[in-house]
Amino acid sequence: MSDKNKIRVRFAPSPTGPLHIGGVRTALYNYLFAKHNGGTFILRIEDTDQTRYIEGAEKYIIESLEWCGIKCDEGPHVGGNYGPYRQSERKDTYRVHAENLVAKGHAYYAFDTPEELEAMRERLKGQGVPSPQYNHLSREYMRNSLTLSADETQKLIADGTPYVIRIKMPRNEEVKFEDVIRSWIVFQTNQLDDKVLYKSDGMPTYHLANVVDDYNMEISHVIRGEEWLPSAPLHVMLYKYLGWEDKMPRFAHVPLILRPDGKGKLSKRDGDKLGVPVFPLDWEDPTSKEKAMGFREQGYLKESFLNILLFLGWNPGTEKEIYQLDEMIQDFSLERVGKAGAKFDVDKAKWFNQQHLKIKSNEDLLELVKPYLNDTIKQKPEQFLLKFIELMKERATSPQDFYESGKYFFGLPESYDEKMIAKKWNDKTEVFFKELLDQLSSSAMFDATQFENQLKVLMDKQQMKMGEVLPVLRIMLSGTMQGPPVFELAELLGKEVVEERIKHAIVSFPALIN
Ligand code: GLU
């Protein structure tokens, strides 16, 4: 493909429920590949399987892509020159191709009832075939246009007997294609079954619709999950039989996203156990009302979410780990996508979120944190809130974490680290802090440096060490040992609040030591 503008890729989810992160990762890789090459990224909704259709799933897919900043150049919600972009609305385009295949002898009508199909499976199982298939052998014994005469076939059709159209897999042939990620893939046709292409409900199956649409939409590269690799030889055969071989897209099958222990695909159940989402956004099943959590609602920034997905299967071959979307576009290539399954690492995911939080400006972060602050707090001076953000941003793991872990910026600590108090609180420290209170009440100036110096002078005088005083001060002000530099916290709280908290602590601590 020399003309780069001809790069056209599609993300083709089926609206059968919430979009798994594996799906978003596929969308991301398609998008990055398209944008890196100045191409077009298309969203196509594959909704031919009416039995699996779930209300709201398409909306969820679109909202997910919009949230993380994957913009569609064409799609059901934005239009385009190759529409419609929902397969259910393209229904009329498929039948002619299925009939065409029958006419050319590459497909056939099959009239078998569910009972007859079941009987075939039972019979083959009885003969020791572990997974019976409708294939180049069994089709000889079934009710189809290969075993029936032309007249019989015509009569059945004219009588309105339900039928499907199946591909006629050739015997003893080899199907080969070059996958961008996996190199040459070879399949033997004898191992492939005669998949249904067109169903009795007048709808194509995934295989036919997918190939016809990719052809009609002039798709140049099919980038999709590894779970579709077994379907690829059938698709290659269809391109050949439909006479579209020279327009066949290049295939790239991206690796699965695995559980942290590498044992199997990451499922919703695994996510629940690990306390991480496996979906981009919250989802509630319209019938069962079962809920699933999303990265967005769990406090992951869209930047972190994309960065996490980027590294589940791809790496730049350098030390660089933190990526913004424009940098991803710049560096991405399919050649650097690995073959092996990508293990989901929970700690790494959290780390990415922290890194992306840290590089945001205090102003931007405040906007992200505001939804989690109550009205009284929101009315505090902007300068105070920005300083709060600055002091917390080194440690916070999500926008909600700022307030969750930093409530003490806005009121007395809700609890104190009792273990630490038991270790550090004694008569000497009590005397020290009482004297500090005396000094504070008479000092006019109060800022981080001045307070620190004041404390040090007093420590010298009373012959006390940092380790005896600082942890106690920290707990007095915040209740916990984790937190921002204590003198800066003190400066932001202001002298009155610091005095009030020290007093409160002196009264409360003895009761906490048993
Ligand atoms: N509809 C398929 C899916 O749900 C698309 C597979 C493909 O990209 O060919 O993933």
Side-chain angles (χ1 to χ4, degrees):
M1 184 98 13
S2 58
D3 183 355
K4 286 201 160 188
N5 292 325
K6 277 281 184 218
I7 298 273
R8 289 176 57 81
V9 294
R10 84 306 191 270
F11 173 51
S14 299
T16 53
L19 184 61
H20 186 269
I21 53 168
V24 190
R25 199 256 336 241
T26 300
L28 176 66
Y29 285 9
N30 271 284
Y31 175 80
L32 297 178
F33 178 72
K35 296 300 130 187
H36 180 88
N37 292 296
T40 305
F41 172 72
I42 299 151
L43 173 66
R44 182 173 76 221
I45 300 293
E46 302 212 321
D47 56 351
T48 54
D49 190 348
Q50 316 259 286
T51 56
R52 296 182 61 217
Y53 181 82
I54 299 275
E55 191 66 44
E58 178 184 320
K59 193 167 156 259
Y60 180 94
I61 291 165
I62 292 174
E63 207 184 320
S64 300
L65 297 183
E66 278 174 353
W67 170 59
C68 55
I70 300 178
K71 273 178 80 180
C72 302
D73 301 307
E74 296 172 27
H77 55 314
V78 290
N81 293 333
Y82 294 77
Y85 293 92
R86 267 181 216 103
Q87 289 186 326
S88 56
E89 293 167 19
R90 302 172 72 84
K91 214 173 146 186
D92 300 338
T93 56
Y94 307 112
R95 185 173 182 98
V96 44
H97 299 295
E99 296 287 0
N100 175 12
L101 290 170
V102 177
K104 287 188 191 161
H106 296 305
Y108 58 92
Y109 302 108
F111 302 94
D112 317 276
T113 62
E115 294 73 32
E116 286 166 338
L117 290 170
E118 189 47 37
M120 176 263 280
R121 279 185 220 113
E122 286 307 312
R123 180 169 51 80
L124 288 176
K125 268 193 197 151
Q127 292 169 7
V129 181
S131 39
Q133 289 183 324
Y134 204 117
N135 61 12
H136 65 285
L137 297 172
S138 59
R139 68 187 176 215
E140 304 282 343
Y141 306 95
M142 303 302 289
R143 233 152 49 88
N144 54 49
S145 56
L146 302 175
T147 58
L148 302 167
S149 71
D151 286 350
E152 282 170 315
T153 302
Q154 279 321 313
K155 184 163 183 329
L156 283 172
I157 292 176
D159 289 350
T161 316
Y163 64 85
V164 298
I165 296 178
R166 288 181 182 270
I167 183 147
K168 187 180 168 198
M169 264 299 154
R171 287 191 183 140
N172 305 320
E173 281 186 22
E174 207 172 70
V175 197
K176 259 172 97 169
F177 67 93
E178 194 181 6
D179 187 280
V180 182
I181 296 165
R182 284 150 211 280
S183 185
W184 284 98
I185 306 277
V186 184
F187 279 88
Q188 305 301 327
T189 53
N190 285 3
Q191 280 155 10
L192 304 171
D193 60 338
D194 287 2
K195 282 263 179 327
V196 174
L197 301 177
Y198 201 81
K199 295 177 286 182
S200 49
D201 64 1
M203 279 289 221
T205 57
Y206 153 71
H207 303 290
L208 180 69
N210 189 269
V211 166
V212 169
D213 285 349
D214 283 347
Y215 172 76
N216 284 330
M217 294 183 175
E218 295 183 27
I219 298 303
S220 63
H221 292 73
V222 166
I223 303 166
R224 62 184 172 193
E226 188 185 337
E227 63 271 33
W228 300 103
L229 190 58
S231 302
L234 169 61
H235 299 173
V236 172
M237 303 292 286
L238 286 174
Y239 279 100
K240 185 171 148 198
Y241 291 158
L242 288 164
W244 301 337
E245 230 175 344
D246 57 332
K247 290 278 170 52
M248 188 168 87
R250 296 207 62 194
F251 291 98
H253 289 91
V254 304
L256 298 176
I257 298 181
L258 304 178
R259 293 168 24 165
D261 61 7
K263 291 186 187 142
K265 227 169 130 174
L266 182 75
S267 69
K268 173 172 182 298
R269 199 150 23 102
D270 301 322
D272 288 346
K273 254 193 250 156
L274 296 162
V276 284
V278 300
F279 302 109
L281 318 175
D282 273 3
W283 164 263
E284 186 183 290
D285 187 276
T287 21
S288 70
K289 301 286 169 210
E290 198 194 333
K291 287 189 169 65
M293 58 177 168
F295 274 86
R296 180 178 66 182
E297 290 77 3
Q298 291 301 308
Y300 283 83
L301 302 180
K302 60 181 183 189
E303 292 88 347
S304 330
F305 179 59
L306 288 184
N307 209 150
I308 293 166
L309 295 183
L310 177 70
F311 277 88
L312 286 170
W314 178 87
N315 75 78
T318 65
E319 297 291 298
K320 185 171 165 71
E321 286 191 287
I322 301 303
Y323 269 88
Q324 303 295 345
L325 188 53
D326 55 343
E327 301 168 309
M328 294 183 192
I329 293 173
Q330 178 128 37
D331 284 4
F332 187 80
S333 74
L334 286 175
E335 283 69 30
R336 293 213 62 87
V337 175
K339 287 197 264 284
K343 288 185 207 160
F344 188 88
D345 180 338
V346 182
D347 293 331
K348 192 80 192 187
K350 290 185 182 155
W351 180 84
F352 272 122
N353 205 31
Q354 233 174 337
Q355 301 307 308
H356 279 279
L357 279 170
K358 261 205 262 185
I359 45 187
K360 282 203 174 290
S361 71
N362 296 340
E363 286 75 10
D364 287 352
L365 273 177
L366 181 55
E367 287 315 305
L368 290 166
V369 171
K370 265 190 183 156
Y372 306 102
L373 302 177
N374 67 35
D375 288 343
T376 331
I377 293 178
K378 269 189 244 172
Q379 267 141 36
K380 284 203 160 276
E382 176 103 348
Q383 275 327 48
F384 183 95
L385 293 176
L386 286 172
K387 190 73 191 176
F388 154 65
I389 295 287
E390 183 181 310
L391 291 180
M392 285 301 289
K393 85 196 242 190
E394 283 300 311
R395 284 155 208 88
T397 53
S398 67
Q400 42 272 66
D401 191 30
F402 278 79
Y403 179 64
E404 276 307 311
S405 310
K407 287 187 183 154
Y408 54 84
F409 279 83
F410 310 100
L412 271 178
E414 286 179 339
S415 63
Y416 292 112
D417 181 337
E418 295 183 14
K419 259 203 200 144
M420 210 57 191
I421 298 171
K423 247 200 253 167
K424 303 278 175 184
W425 188 249
N426 52 41
D427 294 345
K428 242 172 110 189
T429 33
E430 189 173 336
V431 171
F432 177 90
F433 280 98
K434 281 186 171 157
E435 169 124 22
L436 181 65
L437 273 181
D438 278 348
Q439 286 195 3
L440 280 174
S441 65
S442 57
S443 62
M445 263 273 290
F446 188 80
D447 64 31
T449 330
Q450 184 270 336
F451 185 41
E452 186 173 353
N453 288 337
Q454 188 176 20
L455 215 85
K456 280 186 181 153
V457 173
L458 189 59
M459 275 177 351
D460 277 350
K461 191 178 142 205
Q462 301 205 354
Q463 299 194 342
M464 290 183 73
K465 291 192 223 84
M466 290 274 198
E468 290 174 282
V469 173
L470 286 191
V472 180
L473 177 66
R474 177 181 284 286
I475 291 170
M476 285 174 154
L477 300 185
S478 69
T480 150
M481 287 303 291
Q482 274 93 47
V486 67
F487 295 109
E488 292 194 43
L489 171 65
E491 176 176 325
L492 181 63
L493 293 175
K495 195 175 83 150
E496 280 72 37
V497 174
V498 170
E499 285 176 317
E500 181 201 336
R501 292 200 185 173
I502 296 177
K503 276 184 206 153
H504 187 266
I506 291 175
V507 179
S508 321
F509 281 4
L512 300 175
I513 303 165
N514 43 34

